[in-house]
């Protein structure tokens, strides 16, 4: 009985193709989140925070009664939001937190009201949650498996093409460059 | 057909939690809650034991969600909860919500320069005048390093 020979070249190409298709979504999630996390100091990827500052005229604020003070602030600022909590940050700064996530600061010293609107960036938040492993332990196992698949894609890529375009001839310069560039950053 | 079954099984296994989860880390210890004002009156007495605090969230790290400021029961006083980046990520929308946190109090001893810089920053935030020549002694700051945090509605 003839033993059927495995065509390793063909098998490698098929696996590289299908695993590549499977990894498309994950690569995009990790890449987009990676860019966002890299630039955290310049840009907040999780929330859009907008501030509106309004000067206020001197008036008799009910500083000894928080509930009355909140009512005054809501009327003055023409805000119709449900209040979650309030807090005196200092003798001249009173904060009101709203149920929609926004907040308002009464600054008595500078005579101004600062309204802070917080809008979550849901897509980036979800990507970052996955990238930073803020989810269940099962996701860590899954992302470890994904890392193994990426290693497979990298190595199997070396055996995808035969002939003059293979990475074993002149094209090896691309492979060497990809290894050398990170090495330069480490040793510089 | 087999491929579809495998895909469904994988998605079911991942089991990502909903974004509305408000429990971070281990469960909090609700049996022995202390007032923040009690702790801050003599913080060195609470360094070597797990403690649980409760209060309104009045500040959250906007970019990394790595700290929250909890208002004390005493006016103008608060305590910061601090985690390493990524250990827990507190949502900005927690501002104004009640939070319970269990953990250990961490003392950070500042030198004189850092003390002046911190006090200058605090004065600026509060809109007060600050003269650094009035600061002659270094100070220590205290943060709660939590093992578990629960944010209530």
């Amino acid at each position: 009985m003839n033993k059927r020979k495995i065509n390793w070249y063909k098998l490698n190409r098929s696996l590289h193709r299908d695993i590549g298709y499977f990894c498309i979504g994950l690569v995009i999630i990790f890449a987009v989140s990676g860019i966002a996390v890299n630039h955290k100091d310049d840009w907040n990827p999780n929330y859009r925070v907008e501030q509106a500052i309004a000067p206020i005229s001197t008036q008799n604020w009910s500083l000894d009664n928080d509930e009355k003070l909140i009512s005054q602030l809501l009327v003055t600022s023409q805000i119709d939001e449900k209040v979650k909590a309030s807090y005196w940050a200092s003798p001249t700064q009173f904060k009101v937190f709203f149920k929609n996530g926004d907040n308002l600061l009464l600054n008595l010293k500078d005579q101004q009201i600062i309204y802070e609107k917080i809008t979550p960036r849901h897509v980036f938040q979800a990507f970052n949650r996955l990238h930073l492993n803020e989810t269940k332990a099962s996701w860590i196992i899954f992302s470890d498996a994904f890392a193994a698949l990426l290693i497979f894609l990298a190595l199997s890529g070396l055996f995808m093409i035969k002939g003059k375009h293979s990475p074993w001839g002149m094209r090896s310069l691309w492979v060497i460059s990809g290894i050398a560039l990170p090495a330069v950053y480490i040793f510089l | 057909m087999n491929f579809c079954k495998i895909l469904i099984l994988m998605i079911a296994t991942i089991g990502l939690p909903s974004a509305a989860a408000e429990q971070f880390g281990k469960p909090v210890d609700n049996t022995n809650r202390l007032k923040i004002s009690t702790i801050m009156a003599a913080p060195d007495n609470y360094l070597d034991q797990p403690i649980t605090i409760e209060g309104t969230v009045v500040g959250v790290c906007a970019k990394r969600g790595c700290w929250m400021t909890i208002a004390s029961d005493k006016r103008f006083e608060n305590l910061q909860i601090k985690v390493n980046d990524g250990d827990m990520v507190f949502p900005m929308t927690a501002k104004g919500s009640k939070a319970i946190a269990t953990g250990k109090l961490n003392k950070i001893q500042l030198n004189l320069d850092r003390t002046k810089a911190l006090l200058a920053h605090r004065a600026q935030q509060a809109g007060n005048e600050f003269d650094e020549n009035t600061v002659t002694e270094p100070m220590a700051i205290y943060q709660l390093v939590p093992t578990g945090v629960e944010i209530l509605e």
Side-chain angles (χ1 to χ4, degrees):
Chain A
M1 194 175 158
N2 281 341
K3 207 173 180 181
R4 200 179 160 191
K5 262 193 165 181
I6 298 172
N7 185 336
W8 290 107
Y9 175 73
K10 200 176 169 188
L11 179 66
N12 181 57
R13 283 180 73 91
S14 300
L15 284 172
H16 187 96
R17 179 195 62 211
D18 292 342
I19 291 172
Y21 291 158
F22 177 73
C23 288
I24 286 172
L26 291 159
V27 167
I28 290 171
I29 286 171
F30 278 77
V32 170
S33 169
I35 293 168
V37 171
N38 273 352
H39 296 279
K40 260 186 171 175
D41 289 335
D42 312 310
W43 182 71
N44 188 336
N46 292 322
Y47 300 95
R48 185 189 304 128
V49 181
E50 296 160 290
Q51 284 191 340
I53 302 172
I56 45 169
S57 55
T58 308
Q59 60 173 292
N60 289 326
W61 297 106
S62 301
L63 301 179
D64 54 351
N65 185 326
D66 288 358
E67 280 187 23
K68 274 189 182 173
L69 180 57
I70 290 168
S71 300
Q72 284 180 310
L73 282 168
L74 294 180
V75 171
T76 306
S77 312
Q78 296 177 316
I79 293 169
D80 186 25
E81 291 291 344
K82 287 189 176 171
V83 173
K84 190 154 69 167
S86 63
Y87 166 69
W88 278 98
S90 75
T92 57
Q93 293 183 338
F94 182 68
K95 269 200 159 187
V96 181
F97 301 98
F98 299 106
K99 290 204 168 169
N100 66 356
D102 298 350
N103 63 76
L104 179 149
L105 170 70
L106 168 66
N107 189 329
L108 292 166
K109 189 166 184 290
D110 297 338
Q111 289 292 304
Q112 60 186 17
I113 288 175
I114 302 171
Y115 188 85
E116 192 176 68
K117 183 171 178 56
I118 298 168
T119 313
R121 301 182 202 270
H122 294 293
V123 174
F124 272 109
Q125 268 186 346
F127 282 17
N128 290 341
R129 279 168 62 82
L130 294 174
H131 194 149
L132 300 173
N133 289 337
E134 292 166 30
T135 50
K136 286 181 178 173
S138 60
W139 176 253
I140 295 173
I141 296 167
F142 185 75
S143 49
D144 282 349
F146 169 59
L149 292 178
L150 285 182
I151 292 169
F152 172 79
L153 285 177
L155 296 178
S156 62
L158 295 172
F159 306 98
M160 293 282 289
I161 290 173
K162 292 175 180 172
K164 67 173 184 176
H165 294 303
S166 82
W168 305 106
M170 280 300 287
R171 293 288 190 284
S172 64
L173 285 175
W174 286 110
V175 179
I176 292 165
S177 303
I179 296 166
L181 267 174
V184 167
Y185 275 93
I186 289 170
F187 295 114
L188 270 184
Chain B
M1 191 64 184
N2 282 339
F3 175 76
C4 289
K5 282 180 184 170
I6 291 168
L7 198 62
I8 290 164
L9 188 68
M10 284 174 73
I11 291 167
T13 311
I14 294 166
L16 295 176
S18 70
E22 297 289 353
Q23 171 77 44
F24 302 87
K26 295 177 183 171
V28 295
D29 175 16
N30 276 311
T31 56
N32 191 21
R33 284 189 211 173
L34 291 167
K35 286 183 175 177
I36 291 176
S37 61
T38 308
I39 296 165
M40 297 311 283
D44 288 342
N45 295 344
Y46 298 94
L47 292 176
D48 299 319
Q49 52 184 301
I51 54 172
T52 299
I53 60 157
E54 181 186 19
T56 303
V57 179
V58 293
V60 181
C61 170
K63 289 184 176 173
R64 293 178 171 82
C66 63
W67 56 258
M68 285 199 299
T69 307
I70 308 294
S72 168
D73 48 297
K74 187 177 163 186
R75 262 194 173 193
F76 317 134
E77 187 179 64
N78 56 54
L79 179 61
Q80 194 177 62
I81 295 177
K82 177 77 177 84
V83 296
N84 290 328
D85 282 5
D87 282 357
M88 299 176 195
V89 180
F90 304 121
M92 274 192 89
T93 45
K95 281 184 186 180
S97 298
K98 288 271 179 208
I100 306 168
T102 300
K104 279 196 172 177
L105 202 61
N106 184 29
K107 180 179 183 178
I108 301 168
Q109 183 62 53
L110 305 178
N111 60 28
L112 192 56
D113 286 342
R114 285 193 67 194
T115 300
K116 286 178 179 177
L118 177 70
L119 293 176
H121 175 71
R122 282 184 183 171
Q124 188 194 16
Q125 293 260 303
N128 297 329
E129 300 291 326
F130 178 73
D131 177 7
E132 67 168 35
N133 294 320
T134 58
V135 183
T136 54
E137 292 288 325
M139 62 181 270
I141 56 169
Y142 297 86
Q143 294 175 328
L144 186 80
V145 180
T147 53
V149 176
E150 198 174 316
I151 297 173
L152 311 171
E153 278 303 307

